[in-house]
Amino acid sequence: MKRLPLEGIRIADLTMMWAGPYATRILAEMGAEVIKIESPRAWDNIRTLIPQPGVDEPWNSSYYFNDYNRDKKSLTLDLAHPLGRETFLQLVPHCDVVIENYRADVLDNLRLGYGVLREARPDIILVSMAGYGKTGPERRHVGFGPIIEQMSGLASMTGYGDDGVPFKTGISYGDPVAGKAAAAAVALALVQRRRTGRGCFIDLAQREVLSSLIGEAFAAASLRGETPVHRGNRDPRAFAQGVYRCAGDEQWLAITLRTREEWERAAALLGIDPALPGGPSDHDVIDARLAEALAGRDPQEAFELLARAGIPAGRVLDTVAIHDDPHLAARRFWVQLPHPRMHPWKQPRTAWRLREADPWPRRHAPLFGEHNSEILRGLLGLDDDRIEELRREGVIGDAPVNPGVG
Amino acid sequence: MEAPTADPLPLESVRVLEIGGGISAAFAARWLAGFGADVVRIDPEPEMLTPDEAVYLLPGKRRVRGASAGDLLTLARAADIIIDDGPPGALAARGLDPARLRAGRPELVIVSITPYGQDGPYAPFPATNITAFAMGGIMSLTGMHQREPLVTGGSQALYLGGLDAAGAAITAYLGALLHGEGDWVDISLQESMAGMLELYGPRGAYEGAVSIRSGNHVRAVWGLYPCADGYAGVCALERQVPALFALLGDPELEEPRFRDPLERPNHDDELQAKLYAWFGERTKAELLELGVRHRVPIGAVVTPLELLENPSLRERGFFDAVETPAGTALVPGRPFLGLPWRPGRLSEPVPAADILAAWSTRP
């Protein structure tokens, strides 16, 4: 079987919540061994962010946590405890990469900055992914979730257009975007290490990565002083474009008619009048006719009718329908992994579909501290007395201390 | 910062062929070019990028126009990485069948970016940014419940495909360095988004419950509000809620109906009203300052024009200056610090022969 690109790479993963764990989920699927490190006192809050009443060990039974942490190993270590810090520095020489998404000052406060890590392993790669980076006057701002989207410029570009209101994307959009970029940064740093023999310190600001996804708006701003115009779902490059309600509960279809000819073809397919008055109201007329024609139609049938005719259309797939999409099923995009505390559910594979190596999620997210013994005894060679001491001191544990609502 | 300064560019002498002409391939190759790769872009005719997109995405690349099929094949055979965003089958139709190219050169990396991937029933379907965004699931969560779902600004679906393509290209190239074999990477815009649905994706899969778009307020403490000079937002985790309430200074917030995280959703409208009033009296700058001082995650909606003057971005050297006929543009440069980056210049297209000579031998 063909080897995965990151086979043989070991990553010490200090990340929590979403942006960092999203990066290391990709890296794990690409073949890296990812050791997720949490303190029994300061564990990944995402475990209990969505309270699940009546569940045993809620910290092990969260679909949110488990979806983004599969294929990883779990090691507990309280880095704020001298023994925890010492044990971590024993682990670093066995790792190629350390990755963290703490607030900008936290790693240095733990006395685990790049200089310290490099003493433990000279060619270590450290990836930090604070909201605004490790330097600059905004480095102490608490930045996550939609905050990053607002501060990146993107939120200013999203809106219906008739009310002047900017909109947030419906997910914490900056997180996975930063995660994808951080995974790329790890790979690039490994390329560099292969060429030079040296590691590096990657200072990734989540806000900057997201700004990189709207580069043309910065060109418009710097060349002509432009500020974003909200266009709702329209696009001035298209002949017409919009989102139209179909039959069913909250079922919608997005359509782009790139040319007048596509409009006429769509009109013929949907049995509507293609004649337009001519003038600025044409788009409104098209919207009204499409809305009327689609209101009673099944969204999947309408989507396929238009798409098969070469007209760009797409269902606004909701969070249940997307798991039933026949195309994603044919692509084997969703996988179900057995889990000791939960019934299986459809989890997404990485979008980095290497057709030959065929990366595949292998194992459910680890239980809290599940790999303590494997790593402390097996990898670091600690003896029973030492491990017992770590346990006694609360440096390691099998359950979070005082788990409440995230 | 202790990043070494004498290091070479990480992708120096790596040859990248960009084909297809869209935002996705151009964005992926833009990052590779910035990190040192020798990127040759086969210009589409007519050009698919707007002038502003070209100013952002084309610096640092050599552009070729009017390449023959034979020229293309020669370039493809000399490339280390090929990035393509044409429809499935387009590469093969131009004489560049990925499987055949790979069979001859196992270390070659090919990254194809398409709306739905290379196979499956939708593979032949056309798409635009908005239809791809819709099929990826994020759009169902974006916009007001009372109105139609809303596409996020810019060309996010296309950029996400490019972002995934860049990461996958570098990773597969690393695989070729480490293990001797590249790969053909099949990026689907739909999959790029379907795997990033936050808690709503797994909730839909695990509980079978649809999450409906909630506008600018997932909850009162997780939302966007009008303020004195624009819009600002707060995203407080449970542990940050006490600090937020202390900032508001309203004694009613001490009551259990607001304090108890399980009770609070039943009084969300009331809490939202308080936040509307509080935000409305303050400017963006005041709110950001309060946020950092009291460790409450507060943000403000800023435009790209405002960000050009942002002191953090300035100090960190985020922008690349690009000379254009209309003046100097400032566009996002290196995506992260720590590895050398090279801002590029815009250049005019050249005949394929110019590149063929340079790529005919290894440096």
Side-chain angles (χ1 to χ4, degrees):
Chain A
M1 211 163 90
K2 184 163 170 168
R3 285 203 277 181
L4 290 164
L6 298 185
E7 262 177 51
I9 301 296
R10 186 179 289 129
I11 297 174
D13 179 8
L14 302 175
T15 68
M16 301 198 185
M17 299 301 287
W18 197 25
Y22 194 81
T24 52
R25 181 177 85 178
I26 296 172
L27 296 167
E29 204 161 331
M30 289 292 120
E33 178 186 353
V34 175
I35 300 174
K36 181 180 180 75
I37 298 166
E38 297 167 272
S39 164
R41 292 187 306 107
W43 30 278
D44 190 343
N45 263 197
I46 212 167
R47 292 176 174 279
T48 52
L49 205 59
I50 307 301
Q52 313 230 14
V55 175
D56 285 342
E57 300 184 5
W59 57 88
N60 281 330
S61 311
S62 155
Y63 53 75
Y64 196 3
F65 174 82
N66 283 288
D67 215 72
Y68 293 100
N69 288 283
R70 58 163 193 249
D71 291 328
K72 305 176 190 175
K73 294 177 178 175
S74 171
L75 169 68
T76 54
L77 271 186
D78 182 355
L79 300 179
H81 190 291
L83 286 177
R85 182 176 175 279
E86 186 184 329
T87 308
F88 179 68
L89 287 172
Q90 284 174 279
L91 175 66
V92 170
H94 298 276
C95 296
D96 302 280
V97 177
V98 175
I99 181 167
E100 57 101 357
N101 66 342
Y102 296 135
R103 202 181 56 233
D105 54 331
V106 172
L107 201 65
D108 288 322
N109 292 345
L110 291 167
R111 293 181 297 118
L112 288 171
Y114 181 52
V116 176
L117 300 183
R118 222 164 46 156
E119 281 171 31
R121 174 158 173 159
D123 66 351
I124 194 73
I125 292 162
L126 171 63
V127 177
S128 292
M129 40 192 308
Y132 305 93
K134 286 282 198 180
T135 62
E138 287 169 315
R139 69 187 181 281
R140 294 193 194 286
H141 285 239
V142 188
F144 57 77
I147 300 287
I148 296 295
E149 189 183 5
Q150 296 162 29
M151 300 287 276
S152 72
L154 178 58
S156 78
M157 298 170 66
T158 305
Y160 287 100
D162 51 13
D163 54 8
V165 180
F167 269 84
K168 67 183 283 295
T169 301
I171 58 170
S172 289
Y173 187 65
D175 287 64
V177 169
K180 288 172 194 270
V186 167
L188 189 64
L190 288 165
V191 168
Q192 182 79 330
R193 190 188 72 176
R194 169 91 179 171
R195 295 180 141 206
T196 66
R198 290 192 287 274
C200 64
F201 168 35
I202 301 284
D203 171 9
L204 179 149
Q206 298 183 27
R207 182 258 298 276
E208 290 168 2
V209 173
L210 195 49
S211 293
S212 300
L213 269 58
I214 52 168
E216 64 276 4
F218 287 95
S222 55
L223 289 173
R224 300 183 301 280
E226 287 181 13
T227 54
V229 176
H230 295 167
R231 300 186 191 280
N233 291 321
R234 291 187 179 183
D235 182 340
R237 286 183 266 188
F239 181 71
Q241 180 173 288
V243 175
Y244 308 95
R245 192 189 283 276
C246 298
D249 187 26
E250 287 290 341
Q251 296 301 310
W252 302 78
L253 189 65
I255 302 173
T256 305
L257 304 164
R258 292 170 291 194
T259 59
R260 177 181 288 271
E261 188 272 330
E262 284 190 347
W263 153 245
E264 287 165 356
R265 228 153 14 101
L269 287 166
L270 296 170
I272 54 185
D273 176 9
L276 296 170
S281 67
D282 277 5
H283 203 307
D284 293 336
V285 172
I286 290 170
D287 284 347
R289 289 187 194 157
L290 284 172
E292 191 187 341
L294 290 164
R297 284 186 183 253
D298 176 80
Q300 184 71 17
E301 280 176 26
F303 158 56
E304 294 193 23
L305 176 71
L306 293 169
R308 280 186 208 293
I311 295 164
R315 283 182 66 182
V316 181
L317 287 173
D318 66 44
T319 52
V320 168
I322 199 164
H323 294 97
D324 298 327
D325 182 54
H327 178 75
L328 290 173
R331 297 261 301 166
R332 300 182 307 146
F333 180 64
W334 305 109
V335 289
Q336 304 207 44
L337 299 167
H339 188 283
R341 304 283 190 280
M342 304 173 72
H343 67 75
W345 70 102
K346 289 177 179 172
Q347 302 186 38
R349 294 170 69 180
T350 172
W352 302 7
R353 297 284 293 267
L354 280 61
R355 287 172 69 90
E356 297 165 22
D358 200 23
W360 192 270
R362 290 153 290 177
R363 189 178 188 275
H364 62 81
L367 303 178
F368 191 81
E370 181 178 348
H371 300 90
N372 282 350
S373 174
E374 175 188 324
I375 293 160
L376 297 174
R377 207 182 308 264
L379 186 63
L380 302 187
L382 303 189
D383 60 23
D384 290 349
D385 289 350
R386 178 66 160 193
I387 291 172
E388 186 47 41
E389 185 186 7
L390 293 175
R391 193 175 301 281
R392 206 170 49 237
E393 292 286 326
V395 172
I396 64 172
D398 301 323
V401 175
N402 189 28
V405 175
Chain B
M1 188 86 47
E2 297 180 61
T5 50
D7 274 356
L9 291 154
L11 298 179
E12 198 167 302
S13 79
V14 176
R15 291 170 176 169
V16 176
L17 185 63
E18 174 193 329
I19 308 181
I23 284 176
S24 299
F27 180 52
R30 155 83 172 150
W31 277 13
L32 303 186
F35 285 115
D38 179 6
V39 175
V40 170
R41 178 182 194 250
I42 306 301
D43 275 356
E45 294 175 57
E47 179 58 63
M48 293 161 70
L49 303 178
T50 66
D52 284 345
E53 289 163 355
V55 163
Y56 176 45
L57 298 172
L58 299 188
K61 301 177 180 178
R62 294 196 281 178
R63 301 160 62 188
V64 169
R65 206 162 280 176
S68 68
D71 294 340
L72 273 182
L73 186 58
T74 306
L75 290 170
R77 284 183 173 151
D80 299 299
I81 301 172
I82 297 173
I83 298 188
D84 157 56
D85 64 4
L91 271 188
R94 298 176 85 165
L96 308 177
D97 179 63
R100 207 176 297 170
L101 285 172
R102 290 246 330 108
R105 292 192 40 232
E107 71 277 20
L108 176 66
V109 171
I110 302 175
V111 181
S112 296
I113 312 149
T114 54
Y116 300 106
Q118 297 294 314
D119 50 33
Y122 304 164
F125 291 173
T128 59
N129 179 68
I130 193 173
T131 67
F133 196 72
M135 292 294 282
I138 303 175
M139 193 165 177
S140 77
L141 298 162
T142 304
M144 293 170 72
H145 187 202
Q146 302 83 347
R147 299 186 68 166
E148 66 275 20
L150 181 64
V151 71
T152 298
S155 300
Q156 293 307 303
L158 303 179
Y159 271 100
L160 287 170
L163 176 63
D164 273 321
I170 297 164
T171 304
Y173 178 72
L174 175 68
L177 289 180
L178 296 177
H179 314 305
E181 279 201 80
D183 214 309
W184 179 16
V185 187
D186 176 10
I187 303 280
S188 141
L189 300 185
Q190 184 186 29
E191 291 173 6
S192 193
M193 291 171 281
M196 52 184 272
L197 296 177
E198 203 193 85
L199 69 97
Y200 308 106
R203 174 188 281 162
Y206 192 78
E207 296 183 341
V210 177
S211 302
I212 294 295
R213 60 195 177 283
S214 55
N216 275 331
H217 300 95
V218 176
R219 299 181 297 280
V221 300
W222 197 270
L224 190 58
Y225 294 89
C227 64
D229 60 349
Y231 286 82
V234 61
C235 295
L237 295 176
E238 199 49 47
R239 65 171 187 269
Q240 292 147 342
V241 166
L244 172 66
F245 284 4
L247 267 183
L248 265 66
D250 182 337
E252 268 186 18
L253 294 174
E254 298 300 324
E255 293 169 17
R257 71 182 196 279
F258 294 120
R259 283 282 165 183
D260 183 345
L262 299 176
E263 246 326 275
R264 196 181 308 129
N266 302 326
H267 307 277
D268 207 60
D269 288 348
E270 207 182 335
L271 186 53
Q272 265 191 47
K274 291 178 187 297
L275 283 158
Y276 266 103
W278 187 76
F279 273 94
E281 291 166 358
R282 287 164 179 82
T283 65
K284 292 196 278 189
E286 286 166 4
L287 290 161
L288 289 173
E289 172 59 25
L290 286 170
V292 66
R293 187 139 37 93
H294 298 273
R295 294 207 169 157
V296 178
I298 286 179
V301 176
V302 293
T303 64
L305 190 62
E306 291 172 279
L307 285 171
L308 291 174
E309 304 301 326
N310 178 278
S312 279
L313 296 177
R314 290 248 159 188
E315 181 182 323
R316 290 168 55 79
F318 178 59
F319 294 108
D320 282 357
V322 179
E323 297 306 324
T324 81
T328 303
L330 292 177
V331 295
R334 88 292 173 288
F336 39 79
L337 289 166
L339 288 167
W341 167 271
R342 171 182 67 186
R345 285 199 301 270
L346 287 173
S347 61
E348 291 300 310
V350 297
D354 290 14
I355 314 286
L356 293 171
W359 276 24
S360 63
T361 54
R362 280 275 149 193

